[in-house]
Amino acid sequence: MALKYHQQIISDLLEDSNGGLLILSSGLSLAKLIASLLILHSPSQGTLLLLLSPAAQSLKSRIIHYISSLDSPTPTEITADLPANQRYSLYTSGSPFFITPRILIVDLLTQRIPVSSLAGIFILNAHSISETSTEAFIIRIVKSLNSSAYIRAFSDRPQAMVSGFAKTERTMRALFLRKIHLWPRFQLDVSQELEREPPEVVDIRVSMSNYMVGIQKAIIEVMDACLKEMKKTNKVDVDDLTVESGLFKSFDEIVRRQLDPIWHTLGKRTKQLVSDLKTLRKLLDYLVRYDAVSFLKFLDTLRVSESYRSVWLFAESSYKIFDFAKKRVYRLVKASDVKSKEHVKNKSGKKRNSKGETDSVEAVGGETATNVATGVVVEEVLEEAPKWKVLREILEETQEERLKQAFSEEDNSDNNGIVLVACKDERSCMQLEDCITNNPQKVMREEWEMYLLSKIELRSMQTPQKKKQKTPKGFGILDGVVPVTTIQNSEGSSVGRQEHEALMAAASSIRKLGKTTDMASGNNNPEPHVDKASCTKGKAKKDPTSLRRSLRSCNKKTTNSKPEILPGPENEEKANEASTSAPQEANAVRPSGAKKLPPVHFYALESDQPILDILKPSVIIVYHPDMGFVRELEVYKAENPLRKLKVYFIFYDESTEVQKFEASIRRENEAFESLIRQKSSMIIPVDQDGLCMGSNSSTEFPASSTQNSLTRKAGGRKELEKETQVIVDMREFMSSLPNVLHQKGMKIIPVTLEVGDYILSPSICVERKSIQDLFQSFTSGRLFHQVEMMSRYYRIPVLLIEFSQDKSFSFQSSSDISDDVTPYNIISKLSLLVLHFPRLRLLWSRSLHATAEIFTTLKSNQDEPDETRAIRVGVPSEEGIIENDIR
């Protein structure tokens, strides 16, 4: 570890033999810390080390990359595909392994793991742990069998560790941990080391266009109006309802957590407001992330999908969002005005023809000719994103500086010349690459054509449905049939008939142009375009919509044609080649007057790859600011103090982009301050050996109770308690119920069951359904088959309907329950199910713990289930005969 604070963290973790919980600021190389701890683990000791891998694979891939870069053996992954005996041989080898919680808990319960030789467990997602999670179940079993095994838990999401009441303390008790290590960015050792040799930073504030400012202001006004409506309900904590908090995804969790217990009592308007706030947050994000045409396309989809039930669409300022979004892309002008200026356009067309942009002129001419009759013509505006121009200027400036350095013969031995551009997602990367390769107006033109052609396709899809509406539709809306309004009617009410016809005419001209282009493509050479040479075959199709499809296929092939950068030092050369190839080709196809650009590599932040260590760029342009990536840049520069690094930050001035970035830093600091206060007053119970006693110490450590038994009870002798056992289907370990049953003292036997989820006795079989699963099972018809199989093989088939503890114990409000049986009402479906299977019993459970109590009561006078019989139930014999049919 090159950095001193990294070394300090590792020494702190290694000091405590019982392990600890590490909470680190986002972007401070958590993967590198875990990799170092794995390298320090010696397999020669014959001890096993397991890493509980989270669902996200990015952290795991980073850990493997850092270990392989140091020429150390990387941990392998144990999957369910490996047979049981092979897994056992791997466990006894003593190497570190990645394993999912579901596989590990099953192997622990079936005693396939030598727990006595287990050195420790790494938990990589401590922020998602709760008392009922599978990870807590695993730790409880391991600690009961091997108290010397250490547990090390890691998290780089401090905000998640302070959500809810005493989240950190409950997590530590569930993991049997006593020590917590907090390392925020403002910690003295961290800040001093990262600020000793800082990179050269250029902060560029780009002014948004007037229309973008208008849209942002309108969205915030609508958001504020929705928040005021939420406050009127008096059912949400008002302190959390601010526009700033509404910019983050965690806002949805805050609101839902408060409303879940009373969700069934809320009106449709309040429920819709929660959904609307999520939509408005997306709009704010997409405004600064995507181009004008893509933003307008997203708004069109919202108008169609949410027009009937949405609240925000009817807010006072919502019309400005749609109006300004249209004005960024096109405007309507009188056909007479365009016709009088036709000769001017023809002259400009000749000039544009020399630049290879004939399409634009022909299309405009086509629109004019088609729309004279309607009196209105669509005139393209196609406003470019203001950041595009700034990005190109930065690249040109970087190339000029390098040329000057080359002439001055400065030492550039550590400079590989790569410029890294960091964007939010893959789509932004592809579009920016297209912009610096071609004219940005041409990129906007392609998006505009795809937008218009999509309108034609939508219209052609809905036209055949007009004829079918004469036939009766059964139950109507209950039968899943919604009356389809034609494009003309829906558009006519919102956009205006003239505008809609003008757009259709413009789309038709593009379609005709696509036909002529396809016919001419056999004689003319295809237009030069980076990474799109393989797409020319797609343009030779005779389909009228081939232009739109060819554009899409080109985009797909662009991503596929790039070599994938895999972690590892041997791939650094390939990464450099991949990053340099596109810009060099871009220079070849640019007009002769354009300035040359340096080699550029585009990186999607959502891919979360160790790109800095692979490419080692000298110039980094942060196109979409992200707090975690900024910290990664600081760590990268601190680890390479002699390497020159210049970082450009491109922000939209006075935008929610800046506000969100600054708020994310502030929120993390506040989370750490809260954790520091909690640490000072945290109470963790320990036993007489100084070990943490966990969440349910009374059931896990009963040994001390025998010492204090009264002597008059037969000399302190304890009566032998009958061990109760439950046979559980393997698939049920995705839920937390087996964990809670084990806490109650039941023995869990995991097997693969063909019938049922839980076998309580030879005659009681239980099929467990959560609320969401119950609705889906009724819809698919799966539940009918499951109940039929239970009724065939067990005397008492049981359907357990399990609610969440933090949600209301009700399907729906009493006002929504109708007197009649309707085919799409959940109560009606349950009634019909019970009528069809008279022996079926329904269990209504308020929570996991209530289910455990019900199971205990049901088993009180029953025999224990037979494992071998439960496995055979429902499985045909070799002769094809299914035995034990209860009927």
Side-chain angles (χ1 to χ4, degrees):
M1 301 299 293
L3 301 180
K4 289 182 181 178
Y5 79 86
H6 279 164
Q7 297 170 8
Q8 183 63 41
I9 293 172
I10 290 175
S11 62
D12 288 350
L13 288 170
L14 294 177
E15 269 180 18
D16 191 356
S17 58
N18 294 320
L21 170 63
L22 171 65
I23 302 177
L24 194 69
S25 273
S26 174
L28 294 188
S29 298
L30 177 61
K32 202 168 285 187
L33 284 167
I34 297 171
S36 302
L37 288 168
L38 289 176
I39 292 169
L40 291 171
H41 173 77
S42 175
S44 61
Q45 300 169 357
T47 52
L48 175 64
L49 179 60
L50 297 174
L51 292 90
L52 291 183
S53 57
Q57 298 292 315
S58 55
L59 180 60
K60 185 170 72 176
S61 62
R62 281 190 176 228
I63 292 169
I64 293 171
H65 165 74
Y66 291 130
I67 293 176
S68 60
S69 64
L70 297 170
D71 297 328
S72 296
T74 57
T76 53
E77 185 172 7
I78 295 176
T79 61
D81 299 331
L82 293 172
N85 56 351
Q86 195 172 344
R87 292 208 297 269
Y88 180 79
S89 62
L90 287 173
Y91 292 141
T92 52
S93 66
S95 301
F97 295 102
F98 285 106
I99 188 168
T100 60
R102 182 168 169 245
I103 297 172
L104 181 54
I105 188 60
V106 170
D107 285 351
L108 276 172
L109 292 170
T110 52
Q111 299 178 356
R112 292 197 190 104
I113 295 179
V115 182
S116 57
S117 63
L118 181 65
I121 295 177
F122 282 14
I123 296 175
L124 307 183
N125 57 336
H127 48 269
S128 62
I129 304 297
S130 66
E131 294 97 328
T132 57
S133 62
T134 308
E135 290 87 349
F137 191 6
I138 290 167
I139 302 305
R140 190 170 66 252
I141 294 177
V142 168
K143 281 292 184 180
S144 65
L145 299 173
N146 181 5
S147 59
S148 62
Y150 62 80
I151 309 297
R152 291 189 181 127
F154 306 89
S155 175
D156 58 356
R157 298 184 190 175
Q159 297 97 320
M161 294 301 296
V162 294
S163 62
F165 176 72
K167 170 72 182 290
T168 309
E169 185 176 335
R170 288 187 286 113
T171 301
M172 292 179 70
R173 292 184 65 173
L175 298 178
F176 289 78
L177 296 175
R178 287 187 61 192
K179 285 193 176 180
I180 179 172
H181 307 277
L182 303 175
W183 285 85
R185 168 64 178 81
F186 58 78
Q187 209 264 4
L188 190 61
D189 295 337
V190 179
S191 58
Q192 283 181 350
E193 193 154 16
L194 295 185
E195 292 166 11
R196 188 176 293 123
E197 293 286 341
E200 183 186 348
V201 177
V202 181
D203 191 349
I204 300 173
R205 300 296 172 112
V206 183
S207 298
M208 293 194 294
S209 66
N210 293 333
Y211 289 138
M212 288 178 73
V213 173
I215 292 171
Q216 178 179 277
K217 186 180 176 184
I219 293 174
I220 290 174
E221 285 175 2
V222 175
M223 214 170 187
D224 194 41
C226 289
L227 289 170
K228 285 176 180 174
E229 285 291 321
M230 287 279 289
K231 290 174 185 177
K232 289 178 185 177
T233 61
N234 295 324
K235 294 176 179 177
V236 187
D237 186 6
V238 181
D239 296 335
D240 293 329
L241 293 186
T242 60
V243 173
E244 184 177 286
S245 62
L247 299 176
F248 296 91
K249 286 183 179 178
S250 58
F251 180 78
D252 301 333
E253 298 169 15
I254 293 168
V255 175
R256 284 304 298 262
R257 188 164 58 243
Q258 293 186 36
L259 294 178
D260 267 341
I262 54 170
W263 188 254
H264 69 292
T265 64
L266 297 176
K268 291 181 180 178
R269 185 179 178 82
T270 308
K271 291 178 181 178
Q272 186 58 40
L273 282 169
V274 177
S275 175
D276 285 352
L277 288 168
K278 185 177 179 181
T279 303
L280 290 167
R281 187 183 65 243
K282 269 187 186 177
L283 281 176
L284 278 175
D285 184 29
Y286 290 177
L287 174 66
V288 294
R289 197 197 297 189
Y290 297 131
D291 60 273
V293 180
S294 299
F295 185 74
L296 179 61
K297 195 184 294 183
F298 181 64
L299 279 176
D300 283 351
T301 59
L302 286 181
R303 183 164 49 201
V304 174
S305 62
E306 299 191 359
S307 58
Y308 296 105
R309 60 180 186 273
S310 178
V311 178
W312 76 270
L313 281 173
F314 299 100
E316 190 176 347
S317 302
S318 63
Y319 80 95
K320 295 179 186 175
I321 301 173
F322 291 89
D323 188 43
F324 291 152
K326 284 179 198 169
K327 288 178 178 176
R328 292 179 70 199
V329 180
Y330 65 88
R331 61 171 172 261
L332 298 177
V333 295
K334 291 181 180 179
S336 55
D337 295 343
V338 178
K339 195 174 181 183
S340 62
K341 297 176 184 177
E342 214 166 55
H343 64 281
V344 179
K345 289 190 176 181
N346 289 334
K347 289 180 182 178
S348 64
K350 293 177 182 177
K351 293 178 183 176
R352 286 186 183 181
N353 196 13
S354 63
K355 295 182 181 180
E357 291 187 6
T358 326
D359 298 355
S360 179
V361 183
E362 288 180 6
V364 172
E367 290 161 20
T368 308
T370 313
N371 289 289
V372 170
T374 62
V376 176
V377 178
V378 173
E379 186 174 274
E380 299 163 6
V381 177
L382 302 183
E383 177 184 282
E384 298 173 20
K387 279 189 180 182
W388 289 2
K389 183 181 178 183
V390 176
L391 175 63
R392 179 154 195 90
E393 288 172 355
I394 292 171
L395 293 173
E396 289 173 354
E397 178 189 320
T398 304
Q399 183 66 9
E400 288 174 4
E401 287 178 1
R402 286 184 179 169
L403 291 173
K404 289 177 185 177
Q405 289 175 0
F407 286 128
S408 61
E409 297 181 354
E410 291 183 16
D411 182 25
N412 290 324
S413 57
D414 62 338
N415 189 348
N416 57 13
I418 292 177
V419 176
L420 181 70
V421 180
C423 306
K424 190 77 174 173
D425 54 9
E426 190 67 32
R427 188 184 188 282
S428 302
C429 290
M430 289 168 55
Q431 193 170 60
L432 287 178
E433 183 179 353
D434 219 359
C435 283
I436 66 163
T437 306
N438 302 295
N439 192 319
Q441 195 63 29
K442 185 179 178 184
V443 175
M444 291 299 296
R445 179 76 197 166
E446 286 182 357
E447 291 288 343
W448 169 242
E449 288 171 355
M450 288 171 66
Y451 172 73
L452 289 175
L453 291 171
S454 68
K455 283 190 169 292
I456 284 190
E457 283 191 7
L458 187 62
R459 187 179 188 181
S460 62
M461 284 170 63
Q462 293 197 353
T463 303
Q465 294 184 359
K466 245 165 60 174
K467 299 174 183 176
K468 295 181 181 178
Q469 286 183 4
K470 295 176 183 177
T471 57
K473 292 294 180 182
F475 287 102
I477 293 176
L478 288 176
D479 200 26
V481 179
V482 179
V484 180
T485 55
T486 60
I487 283 288
Q488 288 89 343
N489 293 338
S490 61
E491 292 285 344
S493 59
S494 54
V495 185
R497 194 173 188 81
Q498 282 189 329
E499 181 178 354
H500 176 63
E501 288 179 0
L503 284 171
M504 286 294 107
S508 299
S509 66
I510 296 290
R511 200 170 184 178
K512 290 174 185 175
L513 181 65
K515 282 184 181 180
T516 56
T517 308
D518 293 340
M519 292 171 66
S521 61
N523 303 325
N524 301 333
N525 293 326
E527 58 176 325
H529 199 288
V530 57
D531 280 345
K532 292 188 181 177
S534 59
C535 298
T536 50
K537 291 180 182 176
K539 293 186 180 180
K541 294 178 182 177
K542 300 297 180 184
D543 189 5
T545 58
S546 63
L547 176 59
R548 181 169 181 262
R549 289 176 183 168
S550 63
L551 288 171
R552 279 184 171 175
S553 63
C554 285
N555 286 339
K556 287 178 183 174
K557 291 183 182 180
T558 306
T559 52
N560 295 336
S561 62
K562 291 181 189 175
E564 186 181 358
I565 300 172
L566 300 171
E570 67 276 7
N571 293 316
E572 286 182 20
E573 258 181 61
K574 293 180 183 177
N576 294 345
E577 288 173 13
S579 63
T580 55
S581 61
Q584 286 171 353
E585 204 170 339
N587 292 334
V589 301
R590 296 290 301 173
S592 57
K595 297 180 181 178
K596 288 188 175 181
L597 302 178
V600 184
H601 185 92
F602 291 89
Y603 167 61
L605 293 169
E606 64 182 12
S607 65
D608 199 19
Q609 295 295 319
I611 196 75
L612 299 175
D613 294 308
I614 295 173
L615 292 181
K616 302 190 185 316
S618 54
V619 176
I620 298 171
I621 302 171
V622 184
Y623 191 84
H624 293 134
D626 179 77
M627 180 185 66
F629 187 66
V630 171
R631 301 268 173 77
E632 287 180 34
L633 295 178
E634 290 182 313
V635 172
Y636 170 70
K637 184 63 175 73
E639 289 177 338
N640 303 276
L642 301 178
R643 184 181 292 274
K644 291 181 180 179
L645 180 65
K646 192 171 186 178
V647 182
Y648 292 90
F649 287 99
I650 309 179
F651 288 96
Y652 278 119
D653 197 20
E654 296 181 355
S655 68
T656 53
E657 185 180 47
V658 180
Q659 188 180 359
K660 188 175 179 180
F661 179 74
E662 293 172 348
S664 62
I665 297 173
R666 188 166 58 252
R667 279 157 52 92
E668 187 186 85
N669 291 343
E670 289 171 357
F672 269 112
E673 288 168 6
S674 175
L675 286 169
I676 291 166
R677 287 193 299 270
Q678 287 182 37
K679 184 180 178 181
S680 62
S681 60
M682 198 176 288
I683 300 173
I684 305 293
V686 296
D687 61 6
Q688 50 192 324
D689 297 324
L691 300 174
C692 177
M693 297 179 69
S695 298
N696 54 335
S697 53
S698 59
T699 58
E700 286 303 317
F701 295 92
S704 59
S705 63
T706 57
Q707 300 169 5
N708 300 325
S709 297
L710 295 174
T711 54
R712 60 189 169 193
K713 284 191 176 180
R717 187 182 67 189
K718 191 177 180 182
E719 293 181 7
L720 292 173
E721 293 182 2
K722 183 184 176 184
E723 185 184 42
T724 59
Q725 60 186 29
V726 178
I727 297 173
V728 183
D729 185 35
M730 293 279 195
R731 294 174 285 268
E732 276 298 300
F733 285 93
M734 300 292 285
S735 72
S736 300
L737 183 55
N739 179 10
V740 177
L741 293 175
H742 186 268
Q743 281 181 346
K744 290 287 181 184
M746 295 185 188
K747 182 184 178 183
I748 307 298
I749 303 173
V751 296
T752 302
L753 295 176
E754 289 295 322
V755 178
D757 293 329
Y758 297 85
I759 310 298
L760 304 185
S761 74
S763 59
I764 301 178
C765 174
V766 179
E767 181 71 34
R768 187 191 72 89
K769 294 290 179 188
S770 63
I771 302 304
Q772 185 180 5
D773 192 22
L774 181 70
F775 279 83
Q776 290 174 353
S777 298
F778 268 126
T779 305
S780 64
R782 190 173 76 250
L783 183 60
F784 183 90
H785 175 70
Q786 289 170 335
V787 174
E788 184 183 30
M789 294 295 285
M790 285 196 299
S791 301
R792 179 180 296 181
Y793 296 110
Y794 289 94
R795 192 164 55 85
I796 307 175
V798 178
L799 175 62
L800 168 68
I801 300 172
E802 190 176 80
F803 289 76
S804 298
Q805 189 167 1
D806 55 347
K807 294 188 179 180
S808 61
F809 189 41
S810 171
F811 273 136
Q812 55 201 107
S813 60
S814 56
S815 59
D816 294 337
I817 300 175
S818 61
D819 298 331
D820 299 327
V821 174
T822 53
Y824 289 94
N825 185 286
I826 188 68
I827 301 295
S828 300
K829 289 180 178 180
L830 278 171
S831 305
L832 292 170
L833 187 71
V834 174
L835 286 170
H836 199 81
F837 299 101
R839 283 191 293 112
L840 178 67
R841 299 290 177 261
L842 295 185
L843 285 181
W844 301 84
S845 176
R846 187 181 294 274
S847 65
L848 293 167
H849 296 280
T851 303
E853 293 290 343
I854 293 169
F855 279 12
T856 305
T857 309
L858 288 174
K859 285 181 64 64
S860 58
N861 295 319
Q862 296 285 332
D863 295 331
E864 294 302 324
D866 183 6
E867 181 183 348
T868 54
R869 181 186 178 279
I871 295 172
R872 287 202 315 269
V873 166
V875 179
S877 62
E878 293 179 0
E879 292 82 16
I881 300 168
I882 300 177
E883 300 174 356
N884 303 317
D885 194 328
I886 198 72
R887 297 171 302 174

